[in-house]
């Protein structure tokens, strides 16, 4: 497995997104555990989750607890696995997603995530999404306080624009290590954030890199260029998509969501796909 850097640690160039294992349409727990174990077996050392990845209001942190159990039950060495989680998004249990970026909520959420993950310090803690009711500086200030208190090892932000990335890095005293934004063939408006992260040497973690749970399987039919390049390499369009992202900048670490062992195994194979300059240009134009 090739590696890339978050903060001062090396992680797998392809991560695993845990959301599909805990929200609507989720599989039974055994399949999810098998998926996480397959990822670890394939060399994945970055697993992304959030306290909001759950269904009912009575199971906040479902995905965090699931991942903690799966990692603990894996037979191999997991000492180099970085589990990244997030706070600031809330699911009240009626299917909606709401926001709470208040410092008080973020600090309580972090404490709860620490307990669910069973760690002394969270590997990477990310402010999930800006809350328009709370000054961005106040929310990121809470993340800074958690970092200073040693409750989190690294700090990141998610769903941030360039100005927010710069502000977050300033508030964190230059310690912002990652930005997690949506980016895929069908959603490219985060190109400016990707370019800024490359300039600042901050990891850029594309979420829903294959287009999201409902559309990932249709990526090839929606974007013919990815299918054509995939045929030339004898791989899936999804694998080509992740390889295309990896080629954009050394700071890019896609985190495709998965709930089946075979899909994360396919995703991991993206590190071995070498795309030509002509192919990359064609995919950029798709």
């Amino acid at each position: 497995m090739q590696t890339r850097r978050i903060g001062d640690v090396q992680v797998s160039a392809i991560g695993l997104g845990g959301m599909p294992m805990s929200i609507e349409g989720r599989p039974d727990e055994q399949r999810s555990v098998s998926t996480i174990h397959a990822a670890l077996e394939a060399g994945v050392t970055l697993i992304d989750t959030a306290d909001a990845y759950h269904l009912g209001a009575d199971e906040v942190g479902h995905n965090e607890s699931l991942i903690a159990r799966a990692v603990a039950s894996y037979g191999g060495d997991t000492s180099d696995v970085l589990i990244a989680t997030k706070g600031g998004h809330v699911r009240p249990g009626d299917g909606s997603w709401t926001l709470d970026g208040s410092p008080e909520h973020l600090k309580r959420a972090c404490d709860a995530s620490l307990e669910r993950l069973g760690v002394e310090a969270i590997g990477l803690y990310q402010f999930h999404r800006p809350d328009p009711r709370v000054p961005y500086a106040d929310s990121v200030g809470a993340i800074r306080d958690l970092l200073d208190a040693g409750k989190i090892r690294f700090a990141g932000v998610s769903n941030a624009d360039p100005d927010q990335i710069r502000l977050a890095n300033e508030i964190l005293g230059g310690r912002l290590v990652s930005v997690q934004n949506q980016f895929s063939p069908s959603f490219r408006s985060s190109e400016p954030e990707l370019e800024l992260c490359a300039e600042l040497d901050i990891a850029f973690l594309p979420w829903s890199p294959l287009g999201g749970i409902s559309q990932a399987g249709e990526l090839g039919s929606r974007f013919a260029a990815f299918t054509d390049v995939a045929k030339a390499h004898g791989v899936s369009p999804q694998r080509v998509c992740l390889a295309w992202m990896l080629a954009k900048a050394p700071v890019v670490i896609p985190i495709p969501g998965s709930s089946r062992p075979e899909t994360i195994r396919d995703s991991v194979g993206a590190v071995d796909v070498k795309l030509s300059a002509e192919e990359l240009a064609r995919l950029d134009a798709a």
Side-chain angles (χ1 to χ4, degrees), residues 173-192:
R175 294 177 293 172
L176 180 68
V177 303
S178 66
V179 173
Q180 184 178 145
N181 276 20
Q182 184 176 10
F183 185 73
S184 69
S186 58
F187 190 95
R188 304 193 190 188
S189 62
S190 284
E191 283 273 12

Side-chain angles (χ1 to χ4, degrees), residues 20 33 49 78 82 113 117-118 166 168 202 206 221 237 241 275 279:
V33 170
T49 181
T78 59
L82 181 70
S113 292
L117 292 172
R166 292 188 182 92
I202 292 171
S221 61
C241 176
L275 300 173
E279 287 172 328

Side-chain angles (χ1 to χ4, degrees), residues 65-244:
S65 299
L66 170 65
I67 287 170
R69 289 193 299 272
V71 171
S73 66
Y74 181 66
D77 180 16
T78 59
S79 60
D80 59 347
V81 174
L82 181 70
I83 297 178
T85 192
K86 300 179 285 292
H89 234 332
V90 183
R91 299 205 77 188
D94 59 0
S96 65
W97 296 74
T98 60
L99 301 168
D100 190 344
S102 66
E104 298 78 15
H105 171 80
L106 290 170
K107 291 177 180 180
R108 287 195 305 269
C110 179
D111 285 342
S113 292
L114 273 167
E115 184 173 350
R116 285 188 290 266
L117 292 172
V119 295
E120 293 183 1
I122 293 171
L124 171 60
Y125 196 68
Q126 306 155 99
F127 178 37
H128 203 154
R129 186 179 289 273
D131 182 347
R133 301 169 304 171
V134 180
Y136 196 70
D138 290 355
S139 299
V140 177
I143 306 298
R144 176 201 59 215
D145 293 346
L146 294 169
L147 189 61
D148 291 342
K151 292 187 175 183
I152 64 177
R153 183 177 179 187
F154 296 122
V157 295
S158 183
N159 302 296
D161 64 30
D163 288 341
Q164 290 167 333
I165 293 170
R166 292 188 182 92
L167 177 58
N169 198 34
E170 178 183 345
I171 291 169
L172 290 164
R175 294 177 293 172
L176 180 68
V177 303
S178 66
V179 173
Q180 184 178 145
N181 276 20
Q182 184 176 10
F183 185 73
S184 69
S186 58
F187 190 95
R188 304 193 190 188
S189 62
S190 284
E191 283 273 12
E193 289 82 5
L194 190 161
E195 293 170 1
L196 177 59
C197 285
E199 175 188 330
L200 299 176
D201 197 24
I202 292 171
F204 183 82
L205 315 178
W207 62 264
S208 288
L210 303 177
I213 296 172
S214 63
Q215 298 184 340
E218 303 170 359
L219 187 148
S221 61
R222 299 179 67 224
F223 298 94
F226 285 84
T227 295
D228 293 342
V229 173
K231 288 179 179 177
H233 287 265
V235 300
S236 69
Q238 290 79 9
R239 194 180 297 191
V240 165
C241 176
L242 298 174
W244 165 69

